[in-house]
Amino acid sequence: MNWKTLLSDERLSHENRGEERDLRSAFGRDSHRIIESASFRRLQDKTQVFPLDKSDFIRTRLTHSLEVASIGKSLAQNVGRSVLTSGLDPDFTPDMVSSLCDVLECAGLIHDIGNPPFGHFGEEAIREWFRKNLAGVSYMGQSVVHFLSDEEREDLLHFEGNAQGLRLLTHLHFPVSDGGLNLTCAVLATAIKYPVSSLKMDPESSDIALHKMGYMASEADIVDRIEYATGACYCRTPMTFLLEAADDIAYATADIEDAFKKGFVTYEDLISDLREMSVKKEMITNLDKLHDMARLTQVENADEYAIRRWLLDVQDLLISEATQSFMKDYANLMAGRRKKELISERTPKKLLMALKTIAYNRAFTTSSIFMTEIAANNMLTFLLDKMVPAALAYEPGTYPGLMEEKYLSLISADYKQVYEAATRGRPKEECAYHRLLLATDSISGMTDSHAADLVRDLRG
């Protein structure tokens, strides 16, 4: 891989949107398109950790995405300047530093844009529904599985927000336009964390890029175009490793702060758990010093002050570690041979994993979270029970049935238009997969509150 092609400003569609009069960079236009999109705005009401939380402090997918974009841009600045000053790559130019920063910022904004309601649990609930029900769903008098290819079936059984995000960006925006939101190939390639299909994924592989599917059969041809334009050759791009590091840093530190604010983690809990997990003594000492300073200066909430200040220091440390790791393994990253995440050295990874474990043990496994997840599962199950049969009955210009017609009226006209474009000229036997996607597209596009309100209204 080389930076000239990795930073490709080619778009999926070559339609003219006044770009010849636009003085912004291609990636600057990407940023504007993302922020102006309805899908990005919906992230303000999608779960990060705590579903349907009423506090204005707790993070949503929107605030998390903004944080990932900021950290990603910082990593890009560090790496770009390091590559320049080291002379490691003579083909890397000063202009590329700015482009690299813009690409990482855009990729951070969209990295979770395909997530369904209720966060990662929502993904699990959708997967579980298809595992339990797909074979029993009827289409043309037979099980719908009969009409699906192996890859199409696996796409549904392993439903993934990353793959849905690519579909959303390239198909579901502006359905009459080839290319959807029509972002640059550099940004799209960076956001593809897992450059494999559902048939080639391997959760047990030593190569982290194979752990999940990154795209569905419906977007396979688009991924071909992205990979060709960027020269990534179905490997993780170096920029994707930076995006993953930014995501890890953002949520590992944010989850602790949010868990503290919600009362799941106390200052004493954090200190005790860090010691128990053998985190480097210097890090624990720094947290204690910040706490002592807060008490001496009579800060109103010394515990909160110390934790929040310490987490900023942790972020700086992990950003530095990710930068150094990138530079040390530069040749393998550019050759597509890197198999593990950037933050993989023993000491910083232990700290990162400790923060994730503390948040999981102290907050994610509490009864209140479980109760919310049970409610979320009930809501998504209800919606899938109703929307999947309705979508399978959808045939433009024909009457699908009394209740099917009513449920189909809840699906966006844009999504129906995408379905019609994908199935135009195909026999009915080949349309089952795209009808099922019509249901998952509709549900994935909902915010937490809309899904909850809709279920409440439909149940009377």
Side-chain angles (χ1 to χ4, degrees):
M1 289 181 276
N2 66 79
W3 288 110
K4 186 175 180 180
T5 53
L6 284 172
L7 294 168
S8 170
D9 61 2
E10 183 178 331
R11 300 185 187 277
L12 297 177
S13 171
H14 300 294
E15 67 177 35
N16 190 331
R17 294 184 182 176
E19 293 184 4
E20 74 281 356
R21 301 185 302 275
D22 198 330
L23 300 181
R24 294 171 298 171
S25 71
F27 307 126
R29 292 194 292 274
D30 280 355
S31 177
H32 179 76
R33 291 179 185 188
I34 293 165
I35 292 172
E36 284 287 308
S37 71
S39 299
F40 184 71
R41 291 196 301 276
R42 289 190 189 105
L43 293 176
Q44 67 186 313
D45 189 17
K46 288 200 175 189
T47 295
Q48 173 62 17
V49 175
F50 302 103
L52 301 171
D53 193 85
K54 302 301 181 185
S55 168
D56 60 1
F57 179 90
I58 302 303
R59 288 165 174 82
T60 64
R61 284 285 163 188
L62 179 65
T63 49
H64 168 69
S65 296
L66 292 169
E67 290 173 344
V68 173
S70 177
I71 294 173
K73 186 174 184 178
S74 295
L75 283 167
Q77 288 175 328
N78 283 358
V79 164
R81 290 172 182 171
S82 297
V83 173
L84 270 183
T85 56
S86 68
L88 196 60
D89 191 335
D91 294 327
F92 191 83
T93 66
D95 288 344
M96 289 177 177
V97 178
S98 176
S99 295
L100 182 60
C101 291
D102 289 344
V103 168
L104 261 296
E105 185 173 30
C106 289
L109 294 176
I110 63 172
H111 82 284
D112 273 347
I113 205 164
N115 276 29
F118 312 116
H120 291 301
F121 180 79
E123 293 175 290
E124 294 175 11
I126 292 172
R127 287 193 288 265
E128 184 72 5
W129 190 92
F130 279 114
R131 287 169 189 159
K132 288 181 176 179
N133 298 287
L134 185 61
V137 175
S138 178
Y139 181 69
M140 295 179 64
Q142 300 183 58
S143 168
V144 72
V145 175
H146 177 75
F147 300 94
L148 302 176
S149 69
D150 290 346
E151 183 174 357
E152 290 169 346
R153 183 191 68 250
E154 293 303 305
D155 285 352
L156 298 164
L157 298 180
H158 297 95
F159 178 86
E160 176 62 44
N162 291 292
Q164 183 66 25
L166 183 66
R167 176 170 171 78
L168 177 66
L169 294 166
T170 60
H171 267 137
L172 303 183
H173 277 284
F174 306 114
V176 297
S177 164
D178 177 28
L181 204 55
N182 206 24
L183 302 179
T184 58
C185 287
V187 169
L188 292 172
T190 302
I192 300 175
K193 291 175 68 174
Y194 307 98
V196 291
S197 70
S198 57
L199 291 179
K200 295 182 178 179
M201 60 177 281
D202 180 7
E204 304 303 319
S205 173
S206 59
D207 185 351
I208 194 170
L210 304 181
H211 285 184
K212 299 179 182 179
M213 73 167 182
Y215 59 90
M216 292 184 275
S218 53
E219 282 67 58
D221 59 332
I222 287 176
V223 174
D224 285 342
R225 294 165 63 187
I226 294 169
E227 297 294 317
Y228 179 79
T230 58
C233 300
Y234 291 88
C235 296
R236 262 196 181 188
T237 75
M239 298 178 291
T240 307
F241 280 95
L242 293 174
L243 174 64
E244 179 186 55
D247 191 17
D248 279 348
I249 293 168
Y251 83 73
T253 52
D255 287 354
I256 292 294
E257 185 177 7
D258 285 357
F260 172 82
K261 197 71 177 180
K262 292 285 292 182
F264 292 117
V265 175
T266 66
Y267 175 81
E268 290 74 18
D269 291 335
L270 182 58
I271 288 285
S272 173
D273 289 349
L274 290 171
R275 286 176 177 149
E276 186 176 329
M277 295 176 190
S278 302
V279 168
K280 191 175 180 181
K281 188 175 180 181
E282 179 185 349
M283 295 302 302
I284 302 172
T285 301
N286 290 344
L287 176 55
D288 268 332
K289 286 180 178 178
L290 287 168
H291 193 253
D292 290 343
M293 181 182 72
R295 285 187 300 173
L296 287 172
T297 54
Q298 298 183 334
V299 172
E300 185 175 346
N301 190 330
D303 291 359
E304 180 177 356
Y305 172 86
I307 289 174
R308 293 177 67 183
R309 277 290 308 274
W310 182 76
L311 289 172
L312 288 175
D313 293 340
V314 169
Q315 285 189 351
D316 290 343
L317 172 70
L318 294 175
I319 288 171
S320 176
E321 166 59 26
T323 303
Q324 292 176 41
S325 180
F326 189 100
M327 295 306 297
K328 285 179 184 176
D329 207 24
Y330 185 81
N332 284 326
L333 283 161
M334 296 302 291
R337 292 192 298 262
R338 176 90 184 186
K339 305 300 182 186
K340 56 186 178 180
E341 65 274 13
L342 288 179
I343 302 175
S344 55
E345 296 298 325
R346 186 173 182 274
T347 299
K349 184 170 184 178
K350 179 176 281 192
L351 173 61
L352 186 69
M353 295 307 298
L355 295 177
K356 292 180 180 181
T357 302
I358 293 167
Y360 180 81
N361 291 341
R362 295 282 183 179
F364 300 172
T365 57
T366 58
S367 60
S368 61
I369 292 292
F370 285 159
M371 287 176 65
T372 306
E373 289 178 344
I374 290 169
N377 183 72
N378 290 339
M379 286 185 265
L380 290 172
T381 297
F382 175 85
L383 290 171
L384 287 161
D385 283 345
K386 305 301 182 184
M387 300 297 273
V388 168
L392 285 171
Y394 179 61
E395 185 73 45
T398 65
Y399 179 64
L402 177 63
M403 294 311 298
E404 287 81 3
E405 183 180 44
K406 299 182 189 307
Y407 282 113
L408 284 168
S409 72
L410 303 175
I411 297 178
S412 162
D414 283 353
Y415 293 173
K416 292 175 183 174
Q417 201 168 358
V418 170
Y419 164 80
E420 291 168 24
T423 57
R424 190 170 293 120
R426 294 191 181 198
K428 190 176 178 181
E429 290 81 357
E430 297 179 9
C431 297
Y433 174 64
H434 295 279
R435 295 186 186 193
L436 290 167
L437 292 184
L438 187 59
T440 54
D441 288 343
S442 178
I443 292 171
S444 295
M446 295 179 185
T447 63
D448 295 6
S449 294
H450 177 61
D453 291 343
L454 182 60
V455 170
R456 186 179 302 113
D457 291 344
L458 292 177
R459 282 178 164 166

PDB file of all heavy atoms in Angstrom, residues 132-159:
ATOM      1  N   LYS A 132     -32.866 -17.686  15.730  1.00  0.00           N
ATOM      2  CA  LYS A 132     -34.013 -18.433  16.246  1.00  0.00           C
ATOM      3  C   LYS A 132     -35.156 -18.541  15.244  1.00  0.00           C
ATOM      4  O   LYS A 132     -35.913 -19.511  15.263  1.00  0.00           O
ATOM      5  CB  LYS A 132     -34.534 -17.763  17.525  1.00  0.00           C
ATOM      6  CG  LYS A 132     -33.640 -17.931  18.735  1.00  0.00           C
ATOM      7  CD  LYS A 132     -34.270 -17.258  19.951  1.00  0.00           C
ATOM      8  CE  LYS A 132     -33.440 -17.495  21.208  1.00  0.00           C
ATOM      9  NZ  LYS A 132     -34.042 -16.819  22.391  1.00  0.00           N
ATOM     10  N   ASN A 133     -35.306 -17.560  14.358  1.00  0.00           N
ATOM     11  CA  ASN A 133     -36.532 -17.454  13.585  1.00  0.00           C
ATOM     12  C   ASN A 133     -36.386 -17.547  12.073  1.00  0.00           C
ATOM     13  O   ASN A 133     -37.387 -17.754  11.380  1.00  0.00           O
ATOM     14  CB  ASN A 133     -37.229 -16.118  13.913  1.00  0.00           C
ATOM     15  CG  ASN A 133     -37.634 -16.009  15.368  1.00  0.00           C
ATOM     16  OD1 ASN A 133     -38.573 -16.657  15.813  1.00  0.00           O
ATOM     17  ND2 ASN A 133     -36.907 -15.203  16.124  1.00  0.00           N
ATOM     18  N   LEU A 134     -35.163 -17.378  11.557  1.00  0.00           N
ATOM     19  CA  LEU A 134     -35.020 -17.272  10.106  1.00  0.00           C
ATOM     20  C   LEU A 134     -35.580 -18.489   9.383  1.00  0.00           C
ATOM     21  O   LEU A 134     -36.324 -18.363   8.399  1.00  0.00           O
ATOM     22  CB  LEU A 134     -33.546 -17.058   9.730  1.00  0.00           C
ATOM     23  CG  LEU A 134     -33.266 -16.800   8.244  1.00  0.00           C
ATOM     24  CD1 LEU A 134     -33.974 -15.535   7.773  1.00  0.00           C
ATOM     25  CD2 LEU A 134     -31.767 -16.688   7.987  1.00  0.00           C
ATOM     26  N   ALA A 135     -35.263 -19.682   9.865  1.00  0.00           N
ATOM     27  CA  ALA A 135     -35.712 -20.899   9.179  1.00  0.00           C
ATOM     28  C   ALA A 135     -37.229 -21.047   9.200  1.00  0.00           C
ATOM     29  O   ALA A 135     -37.811 -21.691   8.315  1.00  0.00           O
ATOM     30  CB  ALA A 135     -35.060 -22.131   9.812  1.00  0.00           C
ATOM     31  N   GLY A 136     -37.872 -20.432  10.167  1.00  0.00           N
ATOM     32  CA  GLY A 136     -39.317 -20.572  10.287  1.00  0.00           C
ATOM     33  C   GLY A 136     -40.107 -19.502   9.573  1.00  0.00           C
ATOM     34  O   GLY A 136     -41.344 -19.543   9.567  1.00  0.00           O
ATOM     35  N   VAL A 137     -39.420 -18.536   8.965  1.00  0.00           N
ATOM     36  CA  VAL A 137     -40.117 -17.463   8.260  1.00  0.00           C
ATOM     37  C   VAL A 137     -40.485 -17.940   6.856  1.00  0.00           C
ATOM     38  O   VAL A 137     -39.645 -18.502   6.140  1.00  0.00           O
ATOM     39  CB  VAL A 137     -39.239 -16.195   8.180  1.00  0.00           C
ATOM     40  CG1 VAL A 137     -39.922 -15.130   7.341  1.00  0.00           C
ATOM     41  CG2 VAL A 137     -38.959 -15.660   9.576  1.00  0.00           C
ATOM     42  N   SER A 138     -41.719 -17.707   6.448  1.00  0.00           N
ATOM     43  CA  SER A 138     -42.218 -18.218   5.172  1.00  0.00           C
ATOM     44  C   SER A 138     -42.088 -17.178   4.058  1.00  0.00           C
ATOM     45  O   SER A 138     -42.329 -15.979   4.269  1.00  0.00           O
ATOM     46  CB  SER A 138     -43.684 -18.630   5.323  1.00  0.00           C
ATOM     47  OG  SER A 138     -44.199 -19.076   4.088  1.00  0.00           O
ATOM     48  N   TYR A 139     -41.719 -17.677   2.885  1.00  0.00           N
ATOM     49  CA  TYR A 139     -41.643 -16.838   1.683  1.00  0.00           C
ATOM     50  C   TYR A 139     -42.030 -17.701   0.488  1.00  0.00           C
ATOM     51  O   TYR A 139     -41.425 -18.760   0.271  1.00  0.00           O
ATOM     52  CB  TYR A 139     -40.228 -16.281   1.514  1.00  0.00           C
ATOM     53  CG  TYR A 139     -40.046 -15.380   0.303  1.00  0.00           C
ATOM     54  CD1 TYR A 139     -40.644 -14.129   0.263  1.00  0.00           C
ATOM     55  CD2 TYR A 139     -39.269 -15.780  -0.777  1.00  0.00           C
ATOM     56  CE1 TYR A 139     -40.472 -13.283  -0.821  1.00  0.00           C
ATOM     57  CE2 TYR A 139     -39.084 -14.938  -1.869  1.00  0.00           C
ATOM     58  CZ  TYR A 139     -39.685 -13.696  -1.892  1.00  0.00           C
ATOM     59  OH  TYR A 139     -39.509 -12.867  -2.974  1.00  0.00           O
ATOM     60  N   MET A 140     -43.046 -17.301  -0.250  1.00  0.00           N
ATOM     61  CA  MET A 140     -43.533 -18.060  -1.405  1.00  0.00           C
ATOM     62  C   MET A 140     -43.850 -19.513  -1.026  1.00  0.00           C
ATOM     63  O   MET A 140     -43.562 -20.453  -1.766  1.00  0.00           O
ATOM     64  CB  MET A 140     -42.508 -18.019  -2.549  1.00  0.00           C
ATOM     65  CG  MET A 140     -42.287 -16.623  -3.119  1.00  0.00           C
ATOM     66  SD  MET A 140     -41.053 -16.598  -4.454  1.00  0.00           S
ATOM     67  CE  MET A 140     -41.854 -17.615  -5.693  1.00  0.00           C
ATOM     68  N   GLY A 141     -44.418 -19.692   0.195  1.00  0.00           N
ATOM     69  CA  GLY A 141     -44.863 -21.007   0.631  1.00  0.00           C
ATOM     70  C   GLY A 141     -43.782 -21.918   1.155  1.00  0.00           C
ATOM     71  O   GLY A 141     -44.045 -23.074   1.502  1.00  0.00           O
ATOM     72  N   GLN A 142     -42.521 -21.420   1.248  1.00  0.00           N
ATOM     73  CA  GLN A 142     -41.416 -22.228   1.770  1.00  0.00           C
ATOM     74  C   GLN A 142     -40.636 -21.413   2.795  1.00  0.00           C
ATOM     75  O   GLN A 142     -40.822 -20.204   2.925  1.00  0.00           O
ATOM     76  CB  GLN A 142     -40.467 -22.643   0.637  1.00  0.00           C
ATOM     77  CG  GLN A 142     -41.086 -23.474  -0.462  1.00  0.00           C
ATOM     78  CD  GLN A 142     -40.060 -23.899  -1.490  1.00  0.00           C
ATOM     79  OE1 GLN A 142     -39.066 -24.558  -1.168  1.00  0.00           O
ATOM     80  NE2 GLN A 142     -40.281 -23.522  -2.746  1.00  0.00           N
ATOM     81  N   SER A 143     -39.719 -22.088   3.502  1.00  0.00           N
ATOM     82  CA  SER A 143     -38.828 -21.358   4.400  1.00  0.00           C
ATOM     83  C   SER A 143     -38.000 -20.384   3.587  1.00  0.00           C
ATOM     84  O   SER A 143     -37.486 -20.726   2.513  1.00  0.00           O
ATOM     85  CB  SER A 143     -37.894 -22.325   5.140  1.00  0.00           C
ATOM     86  OG  SER A 143     -36.859 -21.599   5.793  1.00  0.00           O
ATOM     87  N   VAL A 144     -37.859 -19.167   4.086  1.00  0.00           N
ATOM     88  CA  VAL A 144     -37.117 -18.137   3.354  1.00  0.00           C
ATOM     89  C   VAL A 144     -35.662 -18.538   3.126  1.00  0.00           C
ATOM     90  O   VAL A 144     -35.017 -18.097   2.167  1.00  0.00           O
ATOM     91  CB  VAL A 144     -37.206 -16.784   4.098  1.00  0.00           C
ATOM     92  CG1 VAL A 144     -36.365 -16.809   5.376  1.00  0.00           C
ATOM     93  CG2 VAL A 144     -36.771 -15.635   3.198  1.00  0.00           C
ATOM     94  N   VAL A 145     -35.135 -19.424   3.985  1.00  0.00           N
ATOM     95  CA  VAL A 145     -33.748 -19.878   3.847  1.00  0.00           C
ATOM     96  C   VAL A 145     -33.517 -20.524   2.481  1.00  0.00           C
ATOM     97  O   VAL A 145     -32.421 -20.441   1.915  1.00  0.00           O
ATOM     98  CB  VAL A 145     -33.384 -20.859   4.991  1.00  0.00           C
ATOM     99  CG1 VAL A 145     -31.990 -21.439   4.791  1.00  0.00           C
ATOM    100  CG2 VAL A 145     -33.487 -20.152   6.339  1.00  0.00           C
ATOM    101  N   HIS A 146     -34.567 -21.146   1.954  1.00  0.00           N
ATOM    102  CA  HIS A 146     -34.462 -21.812   0.650  1.00  0.00           C
ATOM    103  C   HIS A 146     -34.075 -20.834  -0.452  1.00  0.00           C
ATOM    104  O   HIS A 146     -33.495 -21.230  -1.473  1.00  0.00           O
ATOM    105  CB  HIS A 146     -35.810 -22.473   0.319  1.00  0.00           C
ATOM    106  CG  HIS A 146     -35.864 -23.131  -1.019  1.00  0.00           C
ATOM    107  ND1 HIS A 146     -35.241 -24.339  -1.284  1.00  0.00           N
ATOM    108  CD2 HIS A 146     -36.447 -22.741  -2.187  1.00  0.00           C
ATOM    109  CE1 HIS A 146     -35.454 -24.663  -2.544  1.00  0.00           C
ATOM    110  NE2 HIS A 146     -36.182 -23.725  -3.123  1.00  0.00           N
ATOM    111  N   PHE A 147     -34.384 -19.550  -0.260  1.00  0.00           N
ATOM    112  CA  PHE A 147     -34.173 -18.542  -1.306  1.00  0.00           C
ATOM    113  C   PHE A 147     -32.929 -17.685  -1.052  1.00  0.00           C
ATOM    114  O   PHE A 147     -32.694 -16.699  -1.754  1.00  0.00           O
ATOM    115  CB  PHE A 147     -35.400 -17.629  -1.413  1.00  0.00           C
ATOM    116  CG  PHE A 147     -36.657 -18.380  -1.752  1.00  0.00           C
ATOM    117  CD1 PHE A 147     -37.508 -18.826  -0.747  1.00  0.00           C
ATOM    118  CD2 PHE A 147     -36.971 -18.674  -3.065  1.00  0.00           C
ATOM    119  CE1 PHE A 147     -38.667 -19.527  -1.055  1.00  0.00           C
ATOM    120  CE2 PHE A 147     -38.116 -19.381  -3.378  1.00  0.00           C
ATOM    121  CZ  PHE A 147     -38.969 -19.802  -2.375  1.00  0.00           C
ATOM    122  N   LEU A 148     -32.138 -18.045  -0.051  1.00  0.00           N
ATOM    123  CA  LEU A 148     -30.940 -17.270   0.297  1.00  0.00           C
ATOM    124  C   LEU A 148     -29.677 -18.036  -0.068  1.00  0.00           C
ATOM    125  O   LEU A 148     -29.606 -19.249   0.109  1.00  0.00           O
ATOM    126  CB  LEU A 148     -30.914 -16.965   1.798  1.00  0.00           C
ATOM    127  CG  LEU A 148     -32.103 -16.191   2.381  1.00  0.00           C
ATOM    128  CD1 LEU A 148     -31.945 -16.068   3.896  1.00  0.00           C
ATOM    129  CD2 LEU A 148     -32.232 -14.816   1.748  1.00  0.00           C
ATOM    130  N   SER A 149     -28.672 -17.324  -0.550  1.00  0.00           N
ATOM    131  CA  SER A 149     -27.359 -17.937  -0.733  1.00  0.00           C
ATOM    132  C   SER A 149     -26.714 -18.116   0.638  1.00  0.00           C
ATOM    133  O   SER A 149     -27.184 -17.563   1.640  1.00  0.00           O
ATOM    134  CB  SER A 149     -26.474 -17.044  -1.608  1.00  0.00           C
ATOM    135  OG  SER A 149     -26.126 -15.857  -0.900  1.00  0.00           O
ATOM    136  N   ASP A 150     -25.628 -18.874   0.694  1.00  0.00           N
ATOM    137  CA  ASP A 150     -24.927 -19.064   1.971  1.00  0.00           C
ATOM    138  C   ASP A 150     -24.492 -17.724   2.555  1.00  0.00           C
ATOM    139  O   ASP A 150     -24.622 -17.491   3.763  1.00  0.00           O
ATOM    140  CB  ASP A 150     -23.707 -19.974   1.774  1.00  0.00           C
ATOM    141  CG  ASP A 150     -24.085 -21.415   1.481  1.00  0.00           C
ATOM    142  OD1 ASP A 150     -25.265 -21.777   1.693  1.00  0.00           O
ATOM    143  OD2 ASP A 150     -23.210 -22.180   1.035  1.00  0.00           O
ATOM    144  N   GLU A 151     -23.962 -16.861   1.698  1.00  0.00           N
ATOM    145  CA  GLU A 151     -23.478 -15.569   2.197  1.00  0.00           C
ATOM    146  C   GLU A 151     -24.630 -14.700   2.676  1.00  0.00           C
ATOM    147  O   GLU A 151     -24.523 -14.045   3.728  1.00  0.00           O
ATOM    148  CB  GLU A 151     -22.700 -14.836   1.110  1.00  0.00           C
ATOM    149  CG  GLU A 151     -22.100 -13.521   1.596  1.00  0.00           C
ATOM    150  CD  GLU A 151     -21.208 -12.853   0.570  1.00  0.00           C
ATOM    151  OE1 GLU A 151     -20.997 -13.422  -0.519  1.00  0.00           O
ATOM    152  OE2 GLU A 151     -20.710 -11.740   0.864  1.00  0.00           O
ATOM    153  N   GLU A 152     -25.731 -14.692   1.961  1.00  0.00           N
ATOM    154  CA  GLU A 152     -26.881 -13.894   2.383  1.00  0.00           C
ATOM    155  C   GLU A 152     -27.418 -14.382   3.729  1.00  0.00           C
ATOM    156  O   GLU A 152     -27.765 -13.570   4.598  1.00  0.00           O
ATOM    157  CB  GLU A 152     -27.969 -13.969   1.309  1.00  0.00           C
ATOM    158  CG  GLU A 152     -27.599 -13.221   0.031  1.00  0.00           C
ATOM    159  CD  GLU A 152     -28.547 -13.502  -1.117  1.00  0.00           C
ATOM    160  OE1 GLU A 152     -29.337 -14.464  -1.028  1.00  0.00           O
ATOM    161  OE2 GLU A 152     -28.505 -12.756  -2.117  1.00  0.00           O
ATOM    162  N   ARG A 153     -27.480 -15.691   3.905  1.00  0.00           N
ATOM    163  CA  ARG A 153     -27.929 -16.237   5.194  1.00  0.00           C
ATOM    164  C   ARG A 153     -26.988 -15.827   6.314  1.00  0.00           C
ATOM    165  O   ARG A 153     -27.437 -15.380   7.387  1.00  0.00           O
ATOM    166  CB  ARG A 153     -28.011 -17.765   5.098  1.00  0.00           C
ATOM    167  CG  ARG A 153     -28.547 -18.425   6.378  1.00  0.00           C
ATOM    168  CD  ARG A 153     -28.381 -19.924   6.368  1.00  0.00           C
ATOM    169  NE  ARG A 153     -26.977 -20.332   6.430  1.00  0.00           N
ATOM    170  CZ  ARG A 153     -26.305 -20.895   5.441  1.00  0.00           C
ATOM    171  NH1 ARG A 153     -26.894 -21.141   4.282  1.00  0.00           N
ATOM    172  NH2 ARG A 153     -25.031 -21.221   5.588  1.00  0.00           N
ATOM    173  N   GLU A 154     -25.681 -15.957   6.090  1.00  0.00           N
ATOM    174  CA  GLU A 154     -24.705 -15.616   7.127  1.00  0.00           C
ATOM    175  C   GLU A 154     -24.710 -14.121   7.436  1.00  0.00           C
ATOM    176  O   GLU A 154     -24.441 -13.719   8.570  1.00  0.00           O
ATOM    177  CB  GLU A 154     -23.310 -16.076   6.704  1.00  0.00           C
ATOM    178  CG  GLU A 154     -23.150 -17.591   6.630  1.00  0.00           C
ATOM    179  CD  GLU A 154     -23.471 -18.272   7.950  1.00  0.00           C
ATOM    180  OE1 GLU A 154     -22.865 -17.893   8.967  1.00  0.00           O
ATOM    181  OE2 GLU A 154     -24.331 -19.176   7.968  1.00  0.00           O
ATOM    182  N   ASP A 155     -24.990 -13.289   6.439  1.00  0.00           N
ATOM    183  CA  ASP A 155     -25.099 -11.847   6.688  1.00  0.00           C
ATOM    184  C   ASP A 155     -26.125 -11.550   7.771  1.00  0.00           C
ATOM    185  O   ASP A 155     -25.918 -10.684   8.635  1.00  0.00           O
ATOM    186  CB  ASP A 155     -25.526 -11.119   5.402  1.00  0.00           C
ATOM    187  CG  ASP A 155     -24.419 -10.996   4.382  1.00  0.00           C
ATOM    188  OD1 ASP A 155     -23.263 -11.341   4.694  1.00  0.00           O
ATOM    189  OD2 ASP A 155     -24.707 -10.558   3.247  1.00  0.00           O
ATOM    190  N   LEU A 156     -27.239 -12.257   7.726  1.00  0.00           N
ATOM    191  CA  LEU A 156     -28.317 -12.024   8.691  1.00  0.00           C
ATOM    192  C   LEU A 156     -28.006 -12.655  10.044  1.00  0.00           C
ATOM    193  O   LEU A 156     -28.253 -12.047  11.092  1.00  0.00           O
ATOM    194  CB  LEU A 156     -29.626 -12.583   8.132  1.00  0.00           C
ATOM    195  CG  LEU A 156     -30.091 -11.912   6.826  1.00  0.00           C
ATOM    196  CD1 LEU A 156     -31.143 -12.753   6.132  1.00  0.00           C
ATOM    197  CD2 LEU A 156     -30.616 -10.511   7.098  1.00  0.00           C
ATOM    198  N   LEU A 157     -27.443 -13.846  10.029  1.00  0.00           N
ATOM    199  CA  LEU A 157     -27.114 -14.526  11.286  1.00  0.00           C
ATOM    200  C   LEU A 157     -25.989 -13.833  12.039  1.00  0.00           C
ATOM    201  O   LEU A 157     -25.863 -13.986  13.261  1.00  0.00           O
ATOM    202  CB  LEU A 157     -26.726 -15.984  10.999  1.00  0.00           C
ATOM    203  CG  LEU A 157     -27.811 -16.875  10.373  1.00  0.00           C
ATOM    204  CD1 LEU A 157     -27.279 -18.278  10.142  1.00  0.00           C
ATOM    205  CD2 LEU A 157     -29.061 -16.921  11.259  1.00  0.00           C
ATOM    206  N   HIS A 158     -25.152 -13.082  11.319  1.00  0.00           N
ATOM    207  CA  HIS A 158     -24.048 -12.354  11.950  1.00  0.00           C
ATOM    208  C   HIS A 158     -24.210 -10.846  11.766  1.00  0.00           C
ATOM    209  O   HIS A 158     -23.235 -10.132  11.579  1.00  0.00           O
ATOM    210  CB  HIS A 158     -22.703 -12.810  11.370  1.00  0.00           C
ATOM    211  CG  HIS A 158     -22.397 -14.245  11.632  1.00  0.00           C
ATOM    212  ND1 HIS A 158     -22.687 -15.251  10.726  1.00  0.00           N
ATOM    213  CD2 HIS A 158     -21.853 -14.860  12.711  1.00  0.00           C
ATOM    214  CE1 HIS A 158     -22.313 -16.411  11.230  1.00  0.00           C
ATOM    215  NE2 HIS A 158     -21.811 -16.209  12.435  1.00  0.00           N
ATOM    216  N   PHE A 159     -25.447 -10.385  11.819  1.00  0.00           N
ATOM    217  CA  PHE A 159     -25.729  -8.960  11.610  1.00  0.00           C
ATOM    218  C   PHE A 159     -24.731  -8.105  12.381  1.00  0.00           C
ATOM    219  O   PHE A 159     -24.470  -8.342  13.565  1.00  0.00           O
ATOM    220  CB  PHE A 159     -27.149  -8.620  12.052  1.00  0.00           C
ATOM    221  CG  PHE A 159     -27.470  -7.158  11.910  1.00  0.00           C
ATOM    222  CD1 PHE A 159     -27.932  -6.661  10.712  1.00  0.00           C
ATOM    223  CD2 PHE A 159     -27.284  -6.287  12.974  1.00  0.00           C
ATOM    224  CE1 PHE A 159     -28.209  -5.309  10.570  1.00  0.00           C
ATOM    225  CE2 PHE A 159     -27.566  -4.938  12.845  1.00  0.00           C
ATOM    226  CZ  PHE A 159     -28.029  -4.442  11.635  1.00  0.00           C
TER     227      PHE A 159
END
